[in-house]
Amino acid sequence: MDSPRFIGAEIFRHSSYGRWHPLRVPRVSTVMDLSRALGWLPREQFITAPRARQKALEVWHTPEYLQALQRVEATQQATPEDTRRHDIGSVTNPVYPEIFRRPATAAGGSLLAGELLRNGGIIYNPPGGTHHGMPDRANGFCYLNDPVLAMISLRRNGAQRIAYVDIDAHHCDGVAAGFHGDPDCLMISVHEERLWPRTGPLEDDAGGSALNLPVPRGLNDSEMAFIRYELILPGVAAFRPDAVVLLCGADGVEEDPLAHLSLSNNAHWEVVAALMGMAPRFLVLGGGGYNPWSVGRLWSGVWATLNGHEVPDRLPREAEEVLRGLSFEGNRRGKNPPEHWFTTLRDSPREGPVRQEIRDRVAVLRQRLH
């Protein structure tokens, strides 16, 4: 394809996990609206995500689980057995009106991306990134695992060797389960240590297929740059993948309410830019991110990076109105949002010293590259 493609859908505009759930905030619709307001999303680059059918999802998820999700959506009620067996209806994974349609649309976008990348190119699917989902149960806000489905689709369409890079604040336990011990998959995960799901310790190599880097609280831009240069890029280059999948979760930025890292959105954009061109196929997915302003600004900048658009110092009025129209009820960060959350996309850099514990952990992982 000649230019990157953006996969989105209107289902994400008003769909919410509930009034007090972290995923009550609009995310994908904000990125779509901001990108259009900035003139970055012409019709020819936008693709409406299809809703994946059960048969397509069965390449990784069990029929029983998929049937349970669809039944619960129809009845809007989970039985005790649904919760016990599939964790449907728990506080983390609640029943809501689009409990099957919403994740099936994100998964449909990721499955389609694998097909569209058959001959190479760049695709951005911000609804995707549900990396905690398990074959037979919901997990960590994730009812389906679209990264796993995307990678299966890429394999079906000619990409045998896949490098999966995950910079979400939470470890990709579902993807690790899906590709444990796969010699043609390299998983690199940079995640906050001791943060839920508390998986992915340094010593866990997922059967030889993963480089797990748990990082301490307060990770800054300089430390992420060090990790990018010393681990992510050498690891991907040595692996020589047919495709790179990047999960670009926005919960590592300082303003996110669920994690404790201190990155600016520049750190994420630099990872995106650095991975471009490292394989003929590049798929970028969303992931976590629970502050509506920080996730909308970050993910819009990802799209700018993929297209080579310059991020303006001051947003035009139409884009500013998109950000001023957001609210963040029930969180202290929503009470007095700073003015630059409305008027800019780019954060001020958050640089600092590179702590020795990060240097030491990266050194351990680099030894495994040889």
Side-chain angles (χ1 to χ4, degrees):
M1 61 189 73
D2 297 329
S3 58
R5 297 292 188 268
F6 184 119
I7 297 179
E10 284 297 314
I11 192 173
F12 301 99
R13 185 172 299 280
H14 302 295
S15 173
S16 167
Y17 281 37
R19 187 175 179 186
W20 300 111
H21 194 281
L23 275 176
R24 66 190 178 277
V25 299
R27 307 187 315 160
V28 176
S29 58
T30 302
V31 181
M32 292 163 52
D33 293 345
L34 273 176
S35 298
R36 286 175 175 143
L38 285 157
W40 293 345
L41 192 54
R43 184 175 300 177
E44 61 269 19
Q45 284 186 264
F46 182 80
I47 297 171
T48 298
R51 187 189 312 166
R53 297 180 182 273
Q54 177 170 327
K55 195 67 176 177
L57 297 170
E58 286 178 6
V59 296
W60 200 61
H61 292 284
T62 66
E64 295 79 13
Y65 173 53
L66 297 170
Q67 290 162 8
L69 277 177
Q70 292 171 86
R71 173 176 44 77
V72 169
E73 179 172 288
T75 63
Q76 286 297 288
Q77 186 172 2
T79 67
E81 179 67 8
D82 292 328
T83 306
R84 185 196 67 79
R85 182 176 177 185
H86 304 299
D87 207 41
I88 301 171
S90 64
V91 172
T92 305
N93 309 305
V95 176
Y96 68 100
E98 305 86 8
I99 191 173
F100 177 75
R101 284 175 290 159
R102 174 173 166 153
T105 302
S110 286
L111 287 163
L112 177 62
E115 299 173 14
L116 296 175
L117 289 170
R118 176 187 293 272
N119 297 316
I122 298 173
I123 290 184
Y124 184 33
N125 182 29
T130 52
H131 58 172
H132 299 304
M134 294 295 177
D136 198 39
R137 63 182 172 88
N139 187 39
F141 313 165
C142 303
Y143 297 85
L144 301 173
N145 196 311
D146 76 275
V148 168
L149 295 167
M151 293 159 76
I152 292 172
S153 181
L154 283 164
R155 285 261 176 92
R156 287 177 163 180
N157 288 279
Q160 183 62 26
R161 292 176 64 79
I162 300 172
Y164 172 81
V165 179
D166 193 317
I167 58 173
D168 191 285
H170 302 81
H171 177 249
C172 51
D173 53 340
V175 180
F179 290 90
H180 187 280
D182 188 327
D184 286 325
C185 180
L186 170 68
M187 295 177 282
I188 301 177
S189 178
V190 182
H191 50 272
E192 182 182 329
E193 64 182 350
R194 292 189 290 277
L195 187 67
W196 188 93
R198 300 181 182 86
T199 53
L202 187 70
E203 61 272 15
D204 178 13
D205 68 355
S209 59
L211 298 171
N212 279 310
L213 179 62
V215 296
R217 292 185 175 199
L219 184 77
N220 63 50
D221 289 0
S222 303
E223 290 171 324
M224 182 58 96
F226 176 81
I227 293 165
R228 184 176 76 246
Y229 282 121
E230 296 296 326
L231 179 65
I232 296 175
L233 298 184
V236 173
F239 188 68
R240 301 179 66 181
D242 302 315
V244 171
V245 177
L246 170 64
L247 193 141
C248 200
D251 46 8
V253 296
E254 191 168 70
E255 299 87 1
D256 193 86
L258 294 195
H260 313 91
L261 306 181
S262 298
L263 298 173
S264 76
N265 55 25
N266 298 278
H268 293 68
W269 300 347
E270 287 164 0
V271 172
V272 173
L275 289 173
M276 290 176 66
M278 296 200 74
R281 305 164 182 86
F282 190 27
L283 172 60
V284 182
L285 305 173
Y290 308 98
N291 176 323
W293 291 286
S294 61
V295 69
R297 293 165 68 243
L298 190 155
W299 285 356
S300 297
V302 168
W303 181 238
T305 303
L306 293 173
N307 286 275
H309 296 315
E310 185 174 347
V311 174
D313 294 332
R314 171 81 189 219
L315 291 176
R317 180 182 55 82
E318 187 177 352
E320 183 177 330
E321 288 176 353
V322 172
L323 293 169
R324 290 193 183 277
L326 300 175
S327 62
F328 197 14
E329 296 178 5
N331 192 282
R332 62 180 176 81
R333 288 176 171 85
K335 291 181 179 178
N336 297 294
E339 184 69 10
H340 74 269
W341 285 5
F342 306 138
T343 60
T344 67
L345 287 189
R346 187 183 299 277
D347 294 331
S348 297
R350 291 167 185 149
E351 299 170 338
V354 179
R355 285 167 282 183
Q356 189 60 46
E357 58 193 306
I358 291 177
R359 295 181 184 274
D360 292 344
R361 293 174 191 180
V362 168
V364 169
L365 295 177
R366 279 194 61 105
Q367 290 179 349
R368 297 184 195 164
L369 294 178
H370 306 294

